[in-house]
Amino acid sequence: MANDPEVADLLKQTSWQDERRKLRDILRDCGLEERVKWGKLCYTYQDNNVAIIYGMKESCALGFFKGALLEDQNGVLIQPGKHSQAMRRLHFESLDEIERGEDMIRRFIGRAIKAEQDGLQVAFTEKDNLDYPDELQEALDDDPELAEAFDDLTPGRQRGWVLHFSSAKQSETRLRRIDKARSKIIAGKGWNESS
């Protein structure tokens, strides 16, 4: 059991509990440090985010922050959403699937650690002349439902939200704005439209 109370709370969640614990054991065995970020188990190498565990409705996922850079000859890494330039994930529907795929999981973790050791960076390309703040990009990477809804917005609504989020000077304010905006975005609304 984890000494960190936040980690312990996440490990008590009933959905994907066994799968989450197995992925956690593998990640820690590979030498990564464990933290809680964005309400999820996150694993770092020399303070750089490497991987994150998601408990989703239909699957448990292991996300790689620089997954777009990882060699994936079999095409098993999944891009969470259209706007996800860096994140790629492995999805699992059972503990057995994780156990059968452990060698593959370890190979991807090794590649992700190597990418950090080599200082590799994802080249984020400009999307429709919009500069997405990091907080928004992370929210879209972490939340497939939000990413799909954001993608479905008209270009003008997308631009309005990006400008609204970007205008905040502090990261905490941007995060609060994104969290508050989620339901409106899911509803297909722009930032200046009433709910």
Side-chain angles (χ1 to χ4, degrees), residues 45-46 48 50 66 69 111-123:
Y45 175 80
Q46 296 182 347
N48 294 309
V50 172
K66 294 182 180 177
L69 301 177
R111 291 172 190 163
I113 292 170
K114 180 83 166 106
E116 289 303 329
Q117 290 170 335
D118 293 347
L120 299 181
Q121 297 294 323
V122 175

Side-chain angles (χ1 to χ4, degrees), residues 157-168:
R157 286 186 175 118
Q158 287 179 0
R159 183 169 177 75
W161 281 118
V162 169
L163 295 174
H164 174 64
F165 301 142
S166 298
S167 67

Side-chain angles (χ1 to χ4, degrees), residues 15-180:
S15 65
W16 306 109
Q17 187 180 64
D18 293 336
E19 292 81 2
R20 185 180 284 111
R21 287 176 183 273
K22 179 63 177 176
L23 289 171
R24 175 183 188 252
D25 289 346
I26 295 169
L27 288 156
R28 290 178 52 180
D29 187 54
C30 289
L32 295 175
E33 292 184 34
E34 183 175 62
R35 301 204 170 110
V36 174
K37 293 185 177 184
W38 309 286
K40 296 173 180 59
L41 294 173
C42 183
Y43 298 85
T44 64
Y45 175 80
Q46 296 182 347
D47 291 325
N48 294 309
N49 294 330
V50 172
I52 191 165
I53 298 174
Y54 299 88
M56 299 161 59
K57 288 181 185 177
E58 311 257 331
S59 65
C60 182
L62 175 61
F64 295 96
F65 286 92
K66 294 182 180 177
L69 301 177
L70 304 182
E71 180 186 331
D72 181 20
Q73 293 174 332
N74 296 322
V76 296
L77 291 175
I78 297 169
Q79 185 175 359
K82 188 175 180 180
H83 294 290
S84 302
Q85 295 183 67
M87 178 68 72
R88 297 294 183 272
R89 297 192 295 220
L90 294 170
H91 288 256
F92 304 98
E93 295 180 5
S94 69
L95 178 60
D96 182 59
E97 191 177 355
I98 293 170
E99 290 171 344
R100 284 184 283 120
E102 185 169 344
D103 289 342
M104 173 199 61
I105 295 166
R106 288 180 180 275
R107 281 193 300 275
F108 278 115
I109 294 168
R111 291 172 190 163
I113 292 170
K114 180 83 166 106
E116 289 303 329
Q117 290 170 335
D118 293 347
L120 299 181
Q121 297 294 323
V122 175
F124 291 98
T125 56
E126 195 171 355
K127 297 176 289 199
D128 301 324
N129 298 321
L130 293 178
D131 187 17
Y132 285 46
D134 291 341
E135 295 82 358
L136 175 59
Q137 189 62 57
E138 288 170 3
L140 295 173
D141 284 345
D142 290 346
D143 187 343
E145 183 181 14
L146 179 64
E148 183 176 333
F150 194 84
D151 187 53
D152 288 343
L153 292 175
T154 64
R157 286 186 175 118
Q158 287 179 0
R159 183 169 177 75
W161 281 118
V162 169
L163 295 174
H164 174 64
F165 301 142
S166 298
S167 67
K169 291 184 171 116
Q170 295 185 1
S171 178
E172 293 81 8
T173 306
R174 289 189 291 275
L175 288 169
R176 275 195 305 275
R177 286 183 180 182
I178 292 165
D179 186 53
K180 187 176 178 181

